Amino acid sequence: MAETIKAGIAALRTLESWGVTHLYGIPGGTFNNMMYALDEEQARIKYIHVRHEEVGALAAVADGKLTGHIGVAFGSAGPGATHLFQGIYDAKMDKVPTLFLVGQVEQRFMNADFFQELDEDPMFQDGAVYARTVTTARSLPHVIDEAIRRAYAARGAAVVIIPNDLPAEPIPADGYYSAAETHATPVLAAGSDEQVDAALRLIGAASRPVLYVGQGVRGAADTVMTLAKKLQMPVITTALGKPIIPYEFEALLGSAARVASKPANEALRVADLIMFVGSNYPFAEVMFSPKAKFIQIESDPKTLGKRHHTDVAILADAPATLEKMIARSDDAPSSDWYQANVDNVKNWHQYNDDMMQRTTGDMRFEPVFGQINRLATDDAIFAIDVGDVTQNAVRLLKVTGRQAWTTSGLFATMGAGLRAALAGQLSLPKRQVFNLTGDGAAAMVMQDLDTEVRYHLPIINVVFSNNALGYIEDEQEDDGHEWFGIDMPPIDFATVAKGMGMTGITVTQVSELADAFDEAEANRIAGKPTLIDAKITNERPIPVEHLQLDPDRFDAPTIAAFKKRYYADKLVPFSEFLQAHHVPIG
């Protein structure tokens, strides 16, 4: 008799062949036979039992963001399936290969309005790059293999719907195979000599050029910094590109718009050339001057020319093209524009350092970030949630260029921090992991603190508690609307953490911060998670998109009121640095 294997086990061994070491989910009746297969394969692939399918879905996406390898999550039919949507759309919008396995009723009950039975294929067609219902046991491992290849190729979510009877059926043990060993990613060449030279001519003719980079330059920080110095172009990064360039690089302006830094917004306002590299920045239409000359280096033809009228468009590998630009260019003369930006960065850093070192008054968010910077290891992982914490992390974390950072970028779903922290600690267990979240987001997913405890994940969780949905509160202020629907009840997150079995620490004074973080680090080294509930004031972070500092644009009382509210007496408008370096604007 020919040797056989259960289709569910064959499916899991297909995952294993692709390097999948763990997957997230919650069991349900329509996924039972896959669960039995997981039980048999538990020595080879680890099942992570989360408290909510949405948490597992976003953790799987974060696996991909942090490692480049596909993450996997599952849900049973009906509510288990619909709970996966957050992860599917996060993968779609941030272009992350991710696999989602979805339970379905047995085939004999399909199309009969059975309990929890839905026509699931159409549900996933918009969010997924590939969505199929398996129709035979023998095809189950093949469809999973196909789904993974499609997810990698199209950089998005793939969904495989599995009727519950199929994984239990035997199939020939030699009747399936994996394409994992033949998987390859296309590698583009550098831009042509003609394209590179055309770009260099535009840069040479510009008075106020900036280099705007995104995730497409990941791993090429030295190249970016070398080119920036050589051509005297200050650097702006997207928020998702935050960890790529070290914080201390002299001409790193930060990111632009609202989740942003002062120097980046000020420089973009007057830049006459933008070289846009490896990014699909969605706010370009409102942040980039339509009059600026525009060079774009991009590996995705769908994105080339999408965000701005483009003078030089280069479909190519970004790092290789930047290397060629270095090789084919002469050193630009020392630039007053470049130096004005360097001075502006120094002033901005000093402002943030002063705020992080504050010891008087009620506790704000900045001193908490000061402690995170003190404690963070050189290769720490920062799992950043959505809200005020995102923009504060963009401004205040002093990344080294070797640390990792992830958030829900274009989808921007709250609760992403804890989910990404789970992924970071599971996928990269030897590294220090921070989950940084506001109280609104923490309240959405605090049940999965239990997952950290259950799997001994020594994550340092920091909750910034200000009893408000601060990011939306500030939007309502800007819209001239009275605050409505943004208040949060005071939650004792430290007690919640203790109830889950981890150390919970409440901090209300700046003087308590150092001891709290030292205890959290000691727990981490001992293999235990900690939650620090930082009770901060509900004061608005400085709105760098609405600066009121420039005497050429605002009267003295307006400037004085702005400086008082945001403790900005020493913060200097960019116009003063431009004037000091004799940089003409016009």
Coordinates of all heavy atoms in Angstrom, one line a residue, residues 493-544:
F493 N -3.9 50.3 34.3 CA -3.3 49.2 33.5 C -2.3 48.4 34.3 O -2.1 47.2 33.9 CB -2.6 49.9 32.3 CG -3.6 50.4 31.3 CD1 -3.9 51.8 31.2 CD2 -4.2 49.6 30.4 CE1 -4.8 52.3 30.3 CE2 -5.1 50.0 29.4 CZ -5.4 51.4 29.4
A494 N -1.7 48.9 35.3 CA -0.8 48.1 36.1 C -1.5 47.0 36.8 O -1.0 45.9 36.9 CB 0.0 49.0 37.1
T495 N -2.7 47.3 37.3 CA -3.5 46.2 38.0 C -3.9 45.2 37.0 O -3.9 44.0 37.2 CB -4.7 46.9 38.7 OG1 -4.2 47.7 39.8 CG2 -5.5 45.8 39.3
V496 N -4.3 45.7 35.8 CA -4.7 44.7 34.7 C -3.5 43.8 34.4 O -3.7 42.6 34.3 CB -5.1 45.5 33.4 CG1 -5.2 44.5 32.2 CG2 -6.4 46.3 33.6
A497 N -2.3 44.4 34.3 CA -1.1 43.6 34.0 C -0.9 42.6 35.1 O -0.6 41.4 34.8 CB 0.1 44.5 33.8
K498 N -1.0 43.0 36.4 CA -0.8 42.1 37.5 C -1.8 40.9 37.4 O -1.5 39.8 37.7 CB -0.9 42.8 38.8 CG 0.2 43.8 39.1 CD 0.0 44.6 40.3 CE 1.1 45.7 40.5 NZ 0.8 46.6 41.6
G499 N -3.1 41.3 37.0 CA -4.1 40.3 36.9 C -3.8 39.2 35.8 O -4.2 38.1 35.9
M500 N -3.0 39.7 34.8 CA -2.6 38.8 33.7 C -1.3 38.0 34.1 O -0.9 37.1 33.4 CB -2.3 39.6 32.5 CG -3.5 40.3 31.9 SD -4.6 39.2 31.0 CE -5.7 40.3 30.3
G501 N -0.7 38.3 35.2 CA 0.4 37.5 35.7 C 1.8 38.2 35.4 O 2.8 37.5 35.6
M502 N 1.8 39.5 35.1 CA 3.1 40.1 34.8 C 3.3 41.3 35.8 O 2.3 41.7 36.5 CB 3.2 40.6 33.4 CG 2.3 41.8 33.1 SD 2.8 42.6 31.5 CE 2.4 41.3 30.3
T503 N 4.4 41.8 35.9 CA 4.7 43.0 36.8 C 4.0 44.2 36.2 O 4.2 44.5 35.0 CB 6.2 43.2 36.9 OG1 6.9 42.1 37.4 CG2 6.5 44.4 37.7
G504 N 3.3 44.9 37.0 CA 2.7 46.1 36.6 C 3.1 47.3 37.5 O 3.1 47.1 38.7
I505 N 3.6 48.4 36.9 CA 4.1 49.5 37.6 C 3.4 50.8 37.2 O 3.4 51.1 36.0 CB 5.6 49.7 37.4 CG1 6.4 48.4 37.7 CG2 6.2 50.8 38.2 CD1 7.8 48.4 37.2
T506 N 2.9 51.5 38.2 CA 2.2 52.8 37.9 C 3.2 53.9 38.2 O 3.8 53.9 39.3 CB 1.0 53.0 38.7 OG1 0.0 52.0 38.4 CG2 0.3 54.3 38.4
V507 N 3.4 54.8 37.3 CA 4.3 55.9 37.5 C 3.5 57.2 37.3 O 2.9 57.5 36.3 CB 5.5 55.9 36.5 CG1 6.4 57.1 36.7 CG2 6.3 54.6 36.6
T508 N 3.6 58.1 38.3 CA 2.9 59.4 38.3 C 3.9 60.6 38.4 O 3.5 61.7 38.1 CB 1.9 59.5 39.4 OG1 2.6 59.4 40.7 CG2 0.8 58.4 39.3
Q509 N 5.1 60.3 38.7 CA 6.1 61.4 38.9 C 7.4 61.1 38.1 O 7.8 59.9 38.0 CB 6.5 61.6 40.4 CG 5.3 61.8 41.3 CD 4.7 63.2 41.1 OE1 5.4 64.1 40.7 NE2 3.4 63.2 41.3
V510 N 8.0 62.1 37.5 CA 9.2 62.0 36.8 C 10.3 61.2 37.6 O 11.0 60.4 37.1 CB 9.7 63.3 36.3 CG1 11.1 63.1 35.6 CG2 8.8 64.0 35.3
S511 N 10.3 61.5 38.9 CA 11.3 61.0 39.8 C 11.2 59.5 39.9 O 12.1 58.8 40.4 CB 11.2 61.6 41.2 OG 9.9 61.4 41.8
E512 N 10.0 58.9 39.6 CA 9.8 57.4 39.7 C 10.2 56.7 38.4 O 10.2 55.5 38.4 CB 8.3 57.2 40.0 CG 7.8 57.8 41.3 CD 6.3 57.8 41.4 OE1 5.6 57.5 40.3 OE2 5.8 58.0 42.5
L513 N 10.4 57.4 37.3 CA 10.6 56.8 36.0 C 11.8 55.9 36.0 O 11.8 54.7 35.5 CB 10.7 57.8 34.9 CG 9.4 58.4 34.4 CD1 9.7 59.6 33.5 CD2 8.6 57.3 33.7
A514 N 13.0 56.4 36.5 CA 14.2 55.6 36.3 C 14.1 54.2 37.0 O 14.5 53.2 36.4 CB 15.4 56.4 36.8
D515 N 13.6 54.2 38.2 CA 13.5 53.0 38.9 C 12.5 52.0 38.2 O 12.8 50.8 38.2 CB 13.0 53.2 40.4 CG 14.1 53.8 41.3 OD1 15.2 53.8 40.9 OD2 13.7 54.3 42.3
A516 N 11.4 52.6 37.7 CA 10.5 51.7 37.0 C 11.1 51.1 35.8 O 10.9 49.8 35.5 CB 9.2 52.5 36.6
F517 N 11.8 51.8 35.0 CA 12.5 51.3 33.8 C 13.6 50.3 34.1 O 13.8 49.3 33.5 CB 12.9 52.4 32.9 CG 11.8 52.9 32.0 CD1 11.0 53.9 32.4 CD2 11.6 52.3 30.7 CE1 9.9 54.3 31.5 CE2 10.6 52.7 29.9 CZ 9.7 53.7 30.3
D518 N 14.3 50.6 35.2 CA 15.4 49.7 35.6 C 14.8 48.3 36.1 O 15.3 47.2 35.8 CB 16.2 50.2 36.8 CG 17.1 51.4 36.4 OD1 17.4 51.5 35.2 OD2 17.6 52.1 37.3
E519 N 13.6 48.4 36.8 CA 12.9 47.1 37.1 C 12.5 46.4 35.9 O 12.6 45.1 35.8 CB 11.8 47.4 38.1 CG 11.0 46.2 38.6 CD 9.9 46.5 39.6 OE1 9.8 47.6 40.0 OE2 9.2 45.5 39.9
A520 N 11.9 47.1 34.9 CA 11.5 46.5 33.7 C 12.6 45.8 33.0 O 12.4 44.7 32.5 CB 10.8 47.5 32.8
E521 N 13.8 46.4 32.9 CA 14.9 45.8 32.2 C 15.4 44.6 33.0 O 15.8 43.6 32.4 CB 16.0 46.9 32.1 CG 17.3 46.3 31.5 CD 17.2 45.9 30.0 OE1 16.0 45.9 29.5 OE2 18.2 45.4 29.5
A522 N 15.4 44.7 34.3 CA 15.8 43.5 35.1 C 14.9 42.3 34.9 O 15.3 41.2 34.7 CB 15.9 43.9 36.6
N523 N 13.6 42.6 34.8 CA 12.6 41.6 34.5 C 12.9 41.0 33.1 O 12.8 39.8 32.9 CB 11.2 42.1 34.6 CG 10.7 42.3 36.0 OD1 11.3 41.8 36.9 ND2 9.7 43.1 36.2
R524 N 13.1 41.9 32.1 CA 13.4 41.4 30.8 C 14.6 40.4 30.8 O 14.5 39.4 30.1 CB 13.7 42.6 29.8 CG 13.9 42.2 28.4 CD 14.4 43.3 27.6 NE 15.8 43.6 27.8 CZ 16.8 43.0 27.3 NH1 16.6 42.0 26.4 NH2 18.1 43.3 27.5
I525 N 15.6 40.8 31.4 CA 16.8 39.9 31.5 C 16.5 38.6 32.1 O 17.0 37.5 31.7 CB 18.0 40.6 32.2 CG1 18.4 41.8 31.3 CG2 19.1 39.7 32.5 CD1 19.4 42.8 32.1
A526 N 15.6 38.6 33.1 CA 15.1 37.4 33.7 C 14.1 36.6 32.9 O 13.6 35.6 33.4 CB 14.6 37.7 35.1
G527 N 13.7 37.2 31.8 CA 12.7 36.5 30.9 C 11.3 36.8 31.2 O 10.4 36.0 30.9
K528 N 11.0 37.9 31.9 CA 9.6 38.2 32.3 C 9.1 39.5 31.7 O 9.9 40.5 31.7 CB 9.5 38.2 33.8 CG 9.8 36.9 34.5 CD 9.7 37.0 36.0 CE 10.7 37.9 36.6 NZ 10.7 37.9 38.1
P529 N 7.9 39.6 31.3 CA 7.4 40.9 30.7 C 7.0 41.9 31.9 O 6.8 41.5 33.0 CB 6.1 40.5 30.0 CG 5.6 39.2 30.7 CD 6.9 38.5 31.2
T530 N 6.9 43.1 31.5 CA 6.5 44.2 32.4 C 5.7 45.2 31.7 O 5.8 45.4 30.5 CB 7.8 44.9 33.0 OG1 8.7 44.0 33.6 CG2 7.4 46.0 34.0
L531 N 4.7 45.8 32.5 CA 4.0 46.9 32.0 C 4.2 48.1 32.8 O 4.0 48.0 34.1 CB 2.5 46.6 31.9 CG 1.6 47.7 31.3 CD1 0.5 47.1 30.4 CD2 1.0 48.6 32.3
I532 N 4.6 49.2 32.2 CA 4.7 50.5 32.9 C 3.6 51.4 32.5 O 3.4 51.7 31.3 CB 6.1 51.2 32.6 CG1 7.2 50.3 33.1 CG2 6.1 52.6 33.2 CD1 8.6 50.8 32.7
D533 N 2.7 51.8 33.4 CA 1.6 52.7 33.1 C 2.0 54.1 33.5 O 2.0 54.4 34.7 CB 0.4 52.2 33.9 CG -0.9 53.0 33.6 OD1 -0.8 53.9 32.7 OD2 -1.9 52.8 34.3
A534 N 2.4 54.9 32.5 CA 2.9 56.2 32.8 C 1.7 57.2 32.7 O 1.1 57.4 31.6 CB 3.9 56.6 31.7
K535 N 1.4 57.7 33.9 CA 0.2 58.7 34.0 C 0.7 60.1 33.6 O 1.2 60.8 34.4 CB -0.4 58.6 35.4 CG -0.8 57.3 35.8 CD -2.0 56.7 35.0 CE -2.6 55.4 35.5 NZ -3.6 54.8 34.6
I536 N 0.5 60.4 32.3 CA 1.0 61.7 31.8 C -0.1 62.8 31.7 O -1.3 62.4 31.7 CB 1.7 61.5 30.4 CG1 0.7 61.0 29.4 CG2 2.9 60.5 30.6 CD1 1.2 61.0 28.0
T537 N 0.4 64.0 31.6 CA -0.6 65.1 31.4 C -1.2 65.0 30.0 O -0.6 64.4 29.0 CB 0.1 66.4 31.5 OG1 1.1 66.6 30.5 CG2 0.8 66.6 32.8
N538 N -2.4 65.5 29.8 CA -3.0 65.5 28.5 C -2.7 66.8 27.8 O -3.6 67.6 27.4 CB -4.5 65.3 28.6 CG -5.2 65.2 27.3 OD1 -4.6 64.7 26.3 ND2 -6.4 65.6 27.2
E539 N -1.4 67.1 27.6 CA -0.9 68.3 26.9 C -0.6 67.9 25.5 O 0.0 66.9 25.2 CB 0.3 68.9 27.6 CG 0.0 69.4 29.0 CD 1.2 70.0 29.6 OE1 1.6 71.2 29.4 OE2 1.9 69.2 30.4
R540 N -1.0 68.8 24.5 CA -0.7 68.5 23.1 C 0.7 68.5 22.8 O 1.4 69.5 23.2 CB -1.5 69.5 22.3 CG -1.4 69.2 20.8 CD -2.2 70.2 20.0 NE -2.1 69.9 18.5 CZ -2.9 70.4 17.6 NH1 -3.8 71.3 17.9 NH2 -2.8 70.1 16.3
P541 N 1.3 67.5 22.0 CA 2.6 67.7 21.5 C 2.7 68.9 20.6 O 1.7 69.2 19.9 CB 2.8 66.3 20.7 CG 1.8 65.4 21.3 CD 0.6 66.3 21.7
I542 N 3.8 69.4 20.5 CA 4.0 70.6 19.6 C 3.6 70.3 18.2 O 4.0 69.3 17.6 CB 5.4 71.2 19.7 CG1 5.5 72.5 18.9 CG2 6.4 70.2 19.2 CD1 6.8 73.2 19.1
P543 N 2.6 71.1 17.6 CA 2.1 70.8 16.3 C 3.1 71.3 15.2 O 2.9 72.5 14.8 CB 0.8 71.5 16.2 CG 0.9 72.6 17.2 CD 1.9 72.2 18.2
V544 N 4.0 70.5 14.7 CA 5.0 71.0 13.8 C 4.4 71.3 12.4 O 5.0 71.9 11.6 CB 6.1 70.0 13.6 CG1 6.9 69.8 14.9 CG2 5.6 68.6 13.1

